[in-house]
Amino acid sequence: MNRSLIILVLSCALLSCSSEPEVAQSNSPDKAMVQGRADAETLIAAQFRTERELHSALLSVKSREWKLRQQGDTIGAQAYISAFRNYIFEHDAELAAKVF
């Protein structure tokens, strides 16, 4: 139960980061790529006990992508999700097989 609470708090923290002006409102694909890699690294480092915890973290990632698109930054959103996906594939094949 405590671990689920920790994951929930971390997920909320990821969501709150998505409203930072320098990333969310920027049209810079480079910044979005850096954020995508950082989020993927965080996901790999997390130790999920259940599929539900993993699913919650992935929803946070999709939420960040969606916010970028809603702000009109489709190039940044694509750069973010591509960097996230590529990092997962390069650094954790087992997680990539589960997620993608």
Side-chain angles (χ1 to χ4, degrees), residues 22-78:
E22 65 181 310
V23 174
Q25 295 177 356
S26 171
N27 287 327
S28 170
D30 292 334
K31 288 181 182 179
M33 287 174 62
V34 168
Q35 187 64 54
R37 286 187 206 113
D39 288 351
E41 186 175 13
T42 300
L43 188 76
I44 289 171
Q47 298 293 319
F48 299 111
R49 290 186 358 198
T50 67
E51 291 294 318
R52 179 180 239 164
E53 291 172 348
L54 175 60
H55 183 71
S56 176
L58 291 172
L59 284 174
S60 296
V61 169
K62 292 304 284 182
S63 174
R64 183 178 297 243
E65 177 194 13
W66 180 82
K67 285 181 181 183
L68 287 168
R69 291 187 191 284
Q70 286 297 105
Q71 294 170 347
D73 191 3
T74 56
I75 293 171
Q78 186 59 43

Side-chain angles (χ1 to χ4, degrees), residues 79-96:
Y80 169 78
I81 206 66
S82 292
F84 176 84
R85 182 183 176 102
N86 290 341
Y87 192 95
I88 297 287
F89 272 107
E90 291 171 7
H91 294 90
D92 193 333
E94 184 179 333
L95 181 61

